[in-house]
Amino acid sequence: MRPYAPVRPRLFHARRAVVAMLTAGGIAACAAPRPATEPAPRTTAVEQAPTRDPMRAPWTVTDDAGTWSNRIELASTLESRVDTVMRTDTSRVVLELSWSRLAGSPGGLSGLVTAYRLGVGAMEPDTVRGLLLPMAFRATEGRDGGQVRFEVPPSGPCSPLLAVVQPVRDLLVRPPGRLEPGTTWSDSATYTICRDSIPLEVTSRRSFVVRGAERRDGIGLVVVVDRTADVRLHGDGTQFGEPITIRAEGQGTMRLELLPRGGVVVSGEGDHELEMQMRGRRRSQDLTQRTRITIAP
């Protein structure tokens, strides 16, 4: 029979294991805590608003100050009837100008006519004798349904300057601040022009409707606008020593292209027809004037 063997070694090993566990736990409890590993930040995709197509309506019209240049051409045919005699004349006017909207002056405009050429019949347009160029003018943009108002020298309504700047009316419009297809507006004015040195009072009303937008090489987006115009003229004076009365009515249409920035006309084309009657005691004359109007940058 084997002698009794004590089990202390096993207890010793067990105690060592327990002590090792406690020691390891104590070390773990006393050691400085290690920071927990933070997860890498998640990248969130930022959704960007889709770029707005500038061709889509509506289009915002700004009132920027700036300087612009234009060329206006008027090609006219005048049919006159005196009793039973019919006569046809043609003329062509070419006007070039630069103009500015003045900063700090609401509605203020200043301009410079740099060229004015007139051709009659088969003659090419040429400078007009006695007309000094360049010719400066000042004006105020129409507001509250009014057209542009020119500030002319006090030399009277039949001054050469007034005749020179009248075609600029077709260039200067004031659209609303927001345009889209179908947008309409109108303006009107009463002013004076001359016919054979006879002052004539003109009543003009223009109506505009937006058709859409297009792109133009070298210009960018333009808003296309159709314009109709109705005018009436009347006046009394003396011609060749005889009292005479003048009455006239006219209508016209134009297609204009506007820059939203500044709301200015960069180009346009259209036609206008005017029926005029001149009545004196011994003589009467009927006239029909048809004019093709072209506006270019």
Side-chain angles (χ1 to χ4, degrees):
M1 182 174 180
R2 295 182 61 183
Y4 172 76
V7 292
R8 289 180 181 175
R10 293 185 180 178
L11 291 174
F12 175 77
H13 290 301
R15 287 175 182 172
R16 280 199 308 179
V18 173
V19 170
M21 292 176 61
L22 292 174
T23 304
I27 293 173
C30 296
R34 288 191 291 177
T37 303
E38 296 183 0
R42 298 176 60 186
T43 303
T44 304
V46 178
E47 295 185 3
Q48 295 183 350
T51 303
R52 184 181 181 276
D53 182 0
M55 295 295 294
R56 292 181 57 189
W59 304 286
T60 300
V61 177
T62 61
D63 198 15
D64 296 1
T67 299
W68 297 270
S69 297
N70 294 94
R71 183 178 188 270
I72 303 174
E73 183 173 335
L74 309 175
S76 299
T77 299
L78 180 65
E79 297 177 353
S80 60
R81 297 174 295 280
V82 180
D83 298 329
T84 59
V85 179
M86 176 75 74
R87 177 178 174 175
T88 301
D89 297 292
T90 60
S91 65
R92 185 176 164 206
V93 170
V94 177
L95 170 69
E96 297 176 7
L97 75 154
S98 62
W99 61 279
S100 302
R101 181 179 289 127
L102 305 177
S105 176
L109 305 175
S110 68
L112 197 66
V113 177
T114 55
Y116 186 89
R117 299 187 294 274
L118 172 64
V120 178
M123 297 174 55
E124 284 296 315
D126 200 357
T127 55
V128 178
R129 183 177 299 178
L131 184 62
L132 300 178
L133 296 174
M135 178 183 291
F137 67 87
R138 289 183 301 167
T140 302
E141 283 186 294
R143 293 181 180 273
D144 300 324
Q147 295 180 16
V148 62
R149 297 191 305 275
F150 290 100
E151 300 175 10
V152 297
S155 54
C158 291
S159 68
L161 174 61
L162 183 61
V164 169
V165 300
Q166 285 307 319
V168 182
R169 289 184 177 276
D170 289 314
L171 172 67
L172 301 176
V173 304
R174 190 171 182 84
R178 185 177 185 273
L179 300 178
E180 58 187 326
T183 298
T184 62
W185 78 95
S186 62
D187 60 25
S188 60
T190 300
Y191 54 93
T192 303
I193 63 172
C194 275
R195 174 82 187 192
D196 298 329
S197 299
I198 299 175
L200 301 176
E201 184 177 271
V202 181
T203 301
S204 168
R205 179 175 176 80
R206 307 184 301 189
S207 299
F208 305 84
V209 58
V210 176
R211 296 305 183 193
E214 297 180 7
R215 291 189 184 276
R216 293 288 178 265
D217 292 341
I219 297 176
L221 181 143
V222 295
V223 179
V224 180
V225 177
D226 282 344
R227 191 212 73 185
T228 59
D230 293 283
V231 297
R232 287 178 171 78
L233 303 86
H234 70 273
D236 301 288
T238 301
Q239 191 176 62
F240 306 116
E242 180 182 347
I244 190 170
T245 297
I246 298 178
R247 298 287 185 271
E249 292 186 0
Q251 297 81 35
T253 60
M254 285 194 75
R255 171 151 288 193
L256 305 173
E257 296 183 344
L258 307 179
L259 275 180
R261 183 172 183 179
V264 298
V265 174
V266 290
S267 61
E269 196 169 36
D271 297 280
H272 194 273
E273 183 171 315
L274 185 71
E275 296 282 351
M276 180 179 295
Q277 298 82 40
M278 304 175 67
R279 300 287 183 257
R281 288 180 300 183
R282 295 177 299 174
R283 184 176 173 178
S284 296
Q285 186 176 14
D286 296 316
L287 304 98
T288 301
Q289 179 175 287
R290 299 180 179 90
T291 302
R292 181 70 172 173
I293 307 168
T294 306
I295 299 173

